[in-house]
């Protein structure tokens, strides 16, 4: 009788014991992470477990790349930047005015100064905006359309002759400077004074005054920032009387103070300028 079946059975049992008692290839090579973790000695006081636990990411730690807006928002830095931009823009505009005499020089100087201010506002306004500042609601659009259509007539009474110099005979040169340029001036001044100066001033005074008083102060500062270019380049900026632009700046500052949002005042300024240009062109044609 052959002993082969018993020898095969004994060999299989020996192989099983070797597989259980001996280390596997993965363990010898250090590839079995689970066994390596289990075999790590644990400290009696539990300090090893605390040491091995991953620490949470602290974004506010010193040396972090994300410093947040606290170093700029609510400080004097945005206001200093706005004042510096006003000085530079005024100097640049006056240099252009010296090079071009008369109303054309004032128009070009005011336009270039407004572009410098608007570029500053667009570059920095995102860093000073409060929450919801760039939101747009239907009520903002409604008020912008109504106020933009009525303000040219209201401020025109203040300016005299309804604020439309085109009711007299106007030169074709004015049609070039007086149609496109007023939109650019209004657009840029709104971005600077309303989009940048207002939230910068609000962020600074809100830490020192109550909410209502802070809005009033910020509105006064933004209205003054809006009016500086029209006042310096008086009496007109691209054919638009100074009083109209000053009145628009006051209305835009009140608008943003009440709503806390930017797009409504900007739309109001576009409608305001559009009505004024349309009436002026119509007066020129009918003159």
């Amino acid at each position: 009788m052959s002993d082969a079946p018993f020898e095969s059975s004994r060999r299989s049992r020996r192989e099983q014991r070797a597989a259980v008692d001996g280390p596997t290839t993965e363990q010898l090579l250090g590839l079995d992470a689970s066994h390596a973790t289990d075999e790590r000695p644990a400290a009696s006081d539990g300090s090893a477990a605390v040491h091995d636990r991953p620490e949470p990411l602290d974004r506010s730690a010193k040396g972090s790349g994300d410093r947040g807006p606290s170093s700029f928002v609510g400080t004097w830095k945005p206001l200093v930047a706005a004042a510096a931009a006003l000085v530079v823009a005024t100097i640049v505009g006056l240099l252009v005015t010296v090079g071009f005499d008369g109303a054309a020089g004032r128009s070009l100087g005011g336009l270039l100064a407004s572009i410098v201010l608007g570029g500053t506002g667009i570059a920095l306004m995102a860093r000073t905006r409060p929450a919801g500042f760039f939101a747009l609601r239907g009520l903002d659009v409604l008020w912008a359309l109504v106020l933009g259509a009525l303000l040219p007539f209201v401020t025109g009474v203040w300016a005299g002759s309804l604020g439309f110099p085109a009711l007299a005979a106007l030169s074709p040169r004015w049609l070039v400077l007086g149609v496109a340029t007023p939109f650019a001036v209004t657009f840029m001044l709104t971005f600077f004074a309303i989009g940048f100066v207002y939230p910068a001033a609000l962020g600074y005074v809100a830490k020192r005054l109550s909410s209502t008083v802070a809005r009033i102060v910020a509105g006064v500062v933004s209205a003054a920032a809006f009016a500086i270019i029209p006042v310096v380049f008086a009496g007109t900026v691209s054919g638009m009387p100074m009083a109209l632009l000053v009145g628009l700046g006051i209305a835009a500052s009140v608008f943003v103070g009440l709503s806390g949002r930017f797009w409504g005042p900007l739309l109001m300024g576009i409608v305001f300028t559009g009505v004024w240009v349309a009436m002026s062109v119509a007066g020129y044609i009918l003159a």
Side-chain angles (χ1 to χ4, degrees), residues 29-287:
L29 295 177
L31 299 178
D32 192 350
S34 61
H35 285 77
T37 304
D38 295 338
E39 292 175 1
R40 182 180 300 169
S44 58
D45 57 353
S47 60
V50 175
H51 178 73
D52 294 336
R53 185 181 305 159
E55 296 180 0
L57 180 60
D58 186 8
R59 295 186 181 274
S60 61
K62 187 176 181 180
S64 174
D66 186 11
R67 296 183 178 178
S70 59
S71 62
F72 192 73
V73 177
T75 65
W76 50 266
K77 297 178 183 179
L79 297 178
V80 171
L86 281 169
V87 172
V88 172
T90 302
I91 293 175
V92 171
L94 289 175
L95 291 176
V96 174
T97 303
V98 172
F100 296 88
D101 295 331
R106 291 195 300 270
S107 296
L108 293 175
L111 172 62
L112 190 57
S114 302
I115 291 175
V116 172
L117 293 180
T120 303
I122 293 173
L124 297 178
M125 63 187 294
R127 298 187 62 185
T128 59
R129 60 182 173 87
F133 189 66
F134 290 145
L136 178 63
R137 296 182 181 178
L139 188 61
D140 297 341
V141 177
L142 177 62
W143 276 109
L145 295 176
V146 173
L147 293 176
L150 295 179
L151 271 175
F153 301 97
V154 176
T155 55
V157 174
W158 180 19
S161 300
L162 292 180
F164 300 110
L167 294 176
L170 296 175
S171 64
R173 182 181 62 178
W174 181 92
L175 294 178
V176 177
L177 295 177
V179 174
T181 304
F183 281 104
V185 170
T186 303
F187 192 81
M188 291 299 179
L189 290 181
T190 303
F191 266 99
F192 175 73
I194 306 302
F196 172 55
V197 174
Y198 176 84
L202 182 64
Y204 182 75
V205 300
K207 296 181 178 181
R208 298 159 177 82
L209 303 173
S210 63
S211 176
T212 302
V213 177
R215 289 190 178 192
I216 294 175
V217 173
V220 172
V221 173
S222 64
F226 197 104
I228 286 177
I229 295 303
V231 170
V232 170
F233 297 93
T236 62
V237 175
S238 300
M240 184 179 290
M242 176 187 65
L244 266 72
L245 280 173
V246 172
L248 175 61
I250 295 173
S253 299
V254 174
F255 198 156
V256 72
L258 294 176
S259 66
R261 293 178 293 273
F262 168 73
W263 298 115
L266 179 64
L267 179 59
M268 180 187 69
I270 293 175
V271 175
F272 175 93
T273 309
V275 170
W276 182 82
V277 169
M279 293 296 293
S280 297
V281 172
Y284 175 77
I285 294 175
L286 297 176

